[in-house]
Amino acid sequence: MFRKSLLSLYFLGLFIAYGTRIEAQESPDLHVVVNLVQLNVAVTDKSGNYITGLRPKDFAIAEDGIQEKVATFAEGNEPALRVTESGETEGPADLSAALSQGSPATGSLQTLSALVAGANVFVLFDTSNDMYHGFVFAQDAIAEFVRSLGSADKIAFYSYNRDLSRAASLTADRGQVLHAVRSTVAGDEAALYNTLLLTLKDATQYEGRKVVVVFSNGPDNSSVVPPEDVAEFAQSAGVSIYMISTQDAKLEPVSTAVFDRMTAATGGKAYFAKNWRDEKRAFASIRDDLAHLYSLSYYPKANANSGWRAITVKLVGDRLKKYKIRTRNGYRPQPSRFSSDAKPIKPVDTPQYESRTLPALSGSSQEPLSKP
């Protein structure tokens, strides 16, 4: 167990350090927004129905107890709007006003616009030897999901068993993704957490709203990376994780608990499908979730905490307090890769992650999955 923990820390450090080095070498003139925090927020009533039509002033965001100001706002697939000092929206916004008003942003208008436009959806499909039963039905459910996503969304399709296969890179071409889905075959052991970490690492290379949708048939039996480290990486990178698992995984209590806690901490959801009809319903639920998410971003105020930062999002006003909010509950600041004048700088030490036991899942999505 101790050896596995050391290995997981080593691999995680390699993933982060490798990505930092590649970006610095291949994009030395890229202006990067290093401190914009983006949140995917779902608001529902007690029956799970989505609450629509909310405005920026209906949300109160705090980071480590420090009240933050919403910088940009979008609902579903609508264009992003810039939020004024009065809490009203202006737009559709190219954020040029934010730059002229001395915003901390250092990115180009195109880069900033991409931060809140559409969704980048990474589908990760279990093709381990446990998937022989119901393989074609799972492919059908994924294909239907791909076809049903909004036109503004881009999709990548990956499959995994012991290794990760990047079958289709992020693209708006549905035909390319569907071909990749139909080309998958089943076999070998399952290394879910190893390959999920690699998928998350790929997702961080893109700007904008990012989600990973995992279809898993059973527990992980080959990974050296613990799920706690994967979950914290997803939280810090701002990637929501959705997991659809078959009834076989439901029979493994440990995996069931991990799936529930990991998805809740990142603002996603976990589904356990008894049959192919449930699989299709789960994918449809994720599609609806993406279409109803609020995208809020803010520039964090001065905060000396370089470790885990807790995020809380609340609704303002007695009328709205009865509704439920689901979003990620915090993040660990990542090292800045570029200076303000866009020149590469020496990477700082990679943040350290320790293996932790997942706490009991509470009814609130604001409970942190892990603490420093």
Side-chain angles (χ1 to χ4, degrees):
M1 180 62 68
F2 177 73
R3 183 171 180 270
K4 278 194 172 184
S5 179
L6 289 178
L7 281 171
S8 69
L9 293 174
Y10 172 74
F11 283 123
L12 187 60
L14 281 181
F15 294 147
I16 299 174
Y18 179 76
T20 299
R21 183 168 63 253
I22 290 296
E23 283 196 3
Q25 291 175 349
E26 294 185 355
S27 304
D29 58 346
L30 179 65
H31 290 252
V32 177
V33 180
V34 297
N35 60 351
L36 180 70
V37 177
Q38 186 175 349
L39 301 174
N40 302 325
V41 182
V43 183
T44 57
D45 63 17
K46 62 181 180 180
S47 299
N49 300 311
Y50 294 101
I51 304 302
T52 60
L54 298 180
R55 310 307 303 159
K57 60 185 179 182
D58 295 322
F59 295 88
I61 302 174
E63 181 179 296
D64 281 352
I66 303 171
Q67 294 300 313
E68 306 290 352
K69 178 188 176 297
V70 178
T72 62
F73 179 87
E75 179 180 357
N77 291 321
E78 294 179 0
L81 304 175
R82 187 174 66 87
V83 181
T84 66
E85 291 294 331
S86 63
E88 300 299 325
T89 54
E90 291 181 350
D94 63 4
L95 300 185
S96 58
L99 293 174
S100 65
Q101 292 173 4
S103 160
T106 58
S108 68
L109 294 182
Q110 183 177 1
T111 300
L112 288 170
S113 296
L115 286 172
V116 284
N120 297 323
V121 182
F122 291 76
V123 179
L124 181 60
F125 179 37
D126 181 353
T127 58
S128 67
N129 48 25
D130 288 330
M131 273 301 300
Y132 283 118
H133 300 292
F135 190 84
V136 174
F137 294 117
Q139 286 179 313
D140 288 344
I142 294 173
E144 186 173 316
F145 172 68
V146 169
R147 295 189 195 97
S148 69
L149 287 175
S151 59
D153 298 328
K154 294 182 179 179
I155 310 168
F157 177 77
Y158 294 176
S159 63
Y160 77 93
N161 39 65
R162 189 182 296 275
D163 300 309
L164 179 70
S165 172
R166 297 175 173 86
S169 300
L170 195 68
T171 178
D173 184 349
R174 302 297 192 260
Q176 180 180 340
V177 178
L178 291 172
H179 176 74
V181 173
R182 296 302 184 188
S183 300
T184 52
V185 294
D188 213 338
E189 300 295 316
L192 169 58
Y193 302 125
N194 283 1
T195 54
L196 177 54
L197 181 61
L198 289 168
T199 303
L200 291 166
K201 180 63 181 64
D202 282 3
T204 63
Q205 305 305 309
Y206 297 90
E207 305 292 354
R209 183 154 53 108
K210 300 175 284 286
V211 301
V212 174
V213 179
V214 181
F215 185 99
S216 171
N217 189 58
D220 187 306
N221 54 21
S222 296
S223 289
V224 296
V225 178
E228 294 85 356
D229 289 354
V230 178
E232 183 173 312
F233 186 88
Q235 288 173 289
S236 298
V239 183
S240 299
I241 299 175
Y242 294 82
M243 301 192 77
I244 301 174
S245 192
T246 64
Q247 185 66 10
D248 289 344
K250 187 72 172 179
L251 300 177
E252 176 57 54
V254 173
S255 294
T256 301
V258 169
F259 291 175
D260 279 332
R261 293 179 175 95
M262 178 181 290
T263 54
T266 63
K269 279 185 176 182
Y271 303 83
F272 297 94
K274 295 181 179 179
N275 51 51
W276 63 270
R277 295 182 183 86
D278 286 348
E279 292 171 10
K280 289 192 173 184
R281 280 192 285 266
F283 277 113
S285 177
I286 295 173
R287 177 202 63 209
D288 291 343
D289 209 53
L290 296 179
H292 290 92
L293 290 177
Y294 292 93
S295 295
L296 294 84
S297 67
Y298 67 93
Y299 296 103
K301 295 178 181 177
N303 187 347
N305 179 14
S306 61
W308 183 261
R309 296 183 179 183
I311 297 175
T312 57
V313 180
K314 297 181 179 180
L315 294 173
V316 178
D318 294 336
R319 179 180 63 87
L320 301 177
K321 288 183 178 179
K322 60 184 177 181
Y323 299 133
K324 297 180 180 180
I325 282 182
R326 173 165 43 84
T327 188
R328 62 170 163 148
N329 50 47
Y331 72 103
R332 187 183 298 272
Q334 300 298 303
S336 300
R337 294 188 292 268
F338 296 87
S339 61
S340 59
D341 60 358
K343 295 179 180 178
I345 60 176
K346 183 179 180 181
V348 299
D349 292 338
T350 299
Q352 296 299 308
Y353 293 80
E354 316 83 36
S355 296
R356 283 176 288 276
T357 301
L358 291 167
L361 183 67
S362 70
S364 169
S365 65
Q366 298 301 328
E367 291 294 326
L369 176 78
S370 53
K371 296 180 181 179

